Amino acid sequence: MRRIRAAVAETPGAPFTVRDLDLGEPRPDEVLVRMTAAGICHTDLGMRDTWPGRLTPMVFGHEGAGRVEAVGAEVRGVAPGDRVCLTFASCGACEQCATGHPAYCLHARTLNFSGGRADGTTPLSRDGTPVHGGFFGQSSFATHAVVRERGVVPVPADLPNEVAAPLGCSGQTGAGTVLNRLRPEPGASLVVTGAGGVGLSAVMAAVAGCDPVVAVDPVPARRALAVELGAKAALPPGDGLVAALRDLTGGGAHHVVETTGRPEVARQAVAALRPRGELALLGLGGEVTFDVMPLLAKGVRVHGVIEGDSHPGRFLPDLVGLWRRGLFPLETLVTTFPFEEIGSAVRAMEEGGVVKPVLLFD
Ligand SMILES: [Zn+2]
Ligand SMILES: [Zn+2]
């Protein structure tokens, strides 16, 4: 047992409050990670607000990066001292995991969103009372986390902490949607709606092969960033949007990556596609209604994508390789905050001025 600091949501929707907790030792298949950085994702806020009360108090956070401090007896892939990126949990044995699609693991819900381990325990406690964790298998809004070996991917020592952290969720979600799922033909057109951490990661992954890449976002600074990252144009949402997108893409886009989760944006995305175009839906949202006619008349293909359909053990090293060649400059999206200032980091993200807040630990 060790004393740690963690940002706790005491009840659903409550602010993250940094407090002392106790963390148990890693089990044989687990790894103890000392956090160096943790990104904040909209999913942390959205799920905190809708989280069941019976699973609180709860520690969120799912974009951790750190250093391995101790490993269980059965762990072979990492050793104390290794730098790692934390990512979502998967079982490694089911049909989806076995075929290289762990984001669709049949046990994903239990392993990522049950408030602890699959057996109902949690390594976190306070004064002997369990505190829920295991968010995306990690709960990385904490100085330390105990995670299963499959949830850590070794990264090189020279990868900056603030790059390693968002790699494991928003980075691989945006980039993986383009590179693993859509796999655009060279020169295909690609539109990204929503220029946040996920959307801009998709832009970075797309600009190497697609032409044009166009971003859509209401915030001028985010549009400017999209252009800086290689988008040919960046447009605000609004009345003339669909016509402008069709114009820029020579009659409609081959691909649209929709990250906002807003029904009206998803409908505009369909309208902006060319015949047999592909729509990838990434944004966590409610229900979207579509007029079926344009979908079938245009032969639109719709993808639901989570975590970029990536196999983190293989894909994250690929992304590190792109970063090293200057082709995936994730640091351009990041603003860092000290861990204890998580409240300011959340506010900055909600206000829209900060794309990807990353908490740094001493
Ligand atoms: Zn599985
Ligand atoms: Zn995320």
Side-chain angles (χ1 to χ4, degrees):
M1 197 77 87
R2 77 184 55 226
R3 184 56 55 93
I4 67 164
R5 299 278 287 165
V8 181
E10 298 288 351
T11 53
F16 304 121
T17 313
V18 179
R19 303 194 191 285
D20 287 345
L21 295 183
D22 294 312
L23 180 68
E25 296 303 313
R27 289 179 173 183
D29 63 342
E30 291 176 337
V31 174
L32 171 67
V33 177
R34 188 167 68 83
M35 224 62 71
T36 52
I40 305 177
C41 202
H42 283 284
T43 308
D44 291 305
L45 311 182
M47 292 199 73
R48 174 195 61 182
D49 294 343
T50 55
W51 197 249
R54 65 184 167 81
L55 297 181
T56 55
M58 172 72 188
V59 177
F60 291 90
H62 66 285
E63 287 191 346
R67 195 177 291 274
V68 174
E69 200 138 288
V71 299
E74 294 164 9
V75 171
R76 295 287 175 270
V78 289
D82 286 354
R83 291 277 313 280
V84 289
C85 172
L86 278 63
T87 188
F88 64 90
S90 59
C91 79
C94 74
E95 171 199 18
Q96 296 303 321
C97 286
T99 53
H101 301 279
Y104 304 97
C105 173
L106 300 181
H107 305 283
R109 228 187 145 68
T110 309
L111 292 171
N112 292 281
F113 308 117
S114 68
R117 298 185 179 97
D119 66 1
T121 63
T122 163
L124 296 166
S125 62
R126 178 168 53 197
D127 305 326
T129 305
V131 170
H132 291 282
F135 190 58
F136 281 81
Q138 50 186 284
S139 288
S140 48
F141 291 162
T143 55
H144 299 74
V146 161
V147 300
R148 289 172 71 237
E149 182 181 1
R150 271 182 73 78
V152 299
V153 178
V155 291
D158 64 339
L159 187 71
N161 296 326
E162 66 269 27
V163 173
L167 212 53
C169 181
S170 51
Q172 76 176 350
T173 296
T177 298
V178 176
L179 300 175
N180 297 325
R181 181 63 76 83
L182 295 175
R183 299 171 178 263
E185 297 281 329
S189 50
L190 189 141
V191 171
V192 177
T193 51
V198 170
L200 289 170
S201 295
V203 167
M204 287 190 273
V207 291
C210 293
D211 185 26
V213 174
V214 182
V216 177
D217 198 280
V219 181
R222 293 181 181 221
R223 294 201 296 272
L225 191 49
V227 170
E228 195 181 304
L229 289 167
K232 186 174 184 177
L235 307 174
D239 284 344
L241 177 65
V242 170
L245 289 174
R246 293 173 63 91
D247 199 37
L248 278 165
T249 55
H254 291 88
H255 304 280
V256 177
V257 177
E258 204 301 287
T259 72
T260 72
R262 292 172 186 273
E264 72 278 13
V265 180
R267 281 190 291 267
Q268 288 175 325
V270 170
L273 282 169
R274 71 173 56 203
R276 303 183 59 252
E278 299 184 52
L279 170 64
L281 295 174
L282 278 57
L284 304 182
E287 290 181 13
V288 185
T289 53
F290 291 104
D291 179 353
V292 172
M293 201 54 206
L295 278 177
L296 60 88
K298 285 207 290 193
V300 168
R301 285 166 285 179
V302 179
H303 300 262
V305 193
I306 193 159
E307 294 290 346
D309 193 359
S310 64
H311 182 300
R314 291 201 283 266
F315 190 55
L316 295 184
D318 289 351
L319 288 182
V320 172
L322 290 176
W323 172 82
R324 202 176 285 295
R325 286 153 54 209
L327 299 174
F328 197 64
L330 208 45
E331 63 276 7
T332 54
L333 316 185
V334 168
T335 305
T336 60
F337 294 82
F339 171 53
E340 303 273 339
E341 291 172 25
I342 184 169
S344 320
V346 167
R347 271 194 300 283
M349 184 168 69
E350 284 174 337
E351 285 160 7
V354 166
V355 175
K356 173 53 67 180
V358 172
L359 306 168
L360 295 180
F361 300 79
D362 347 290

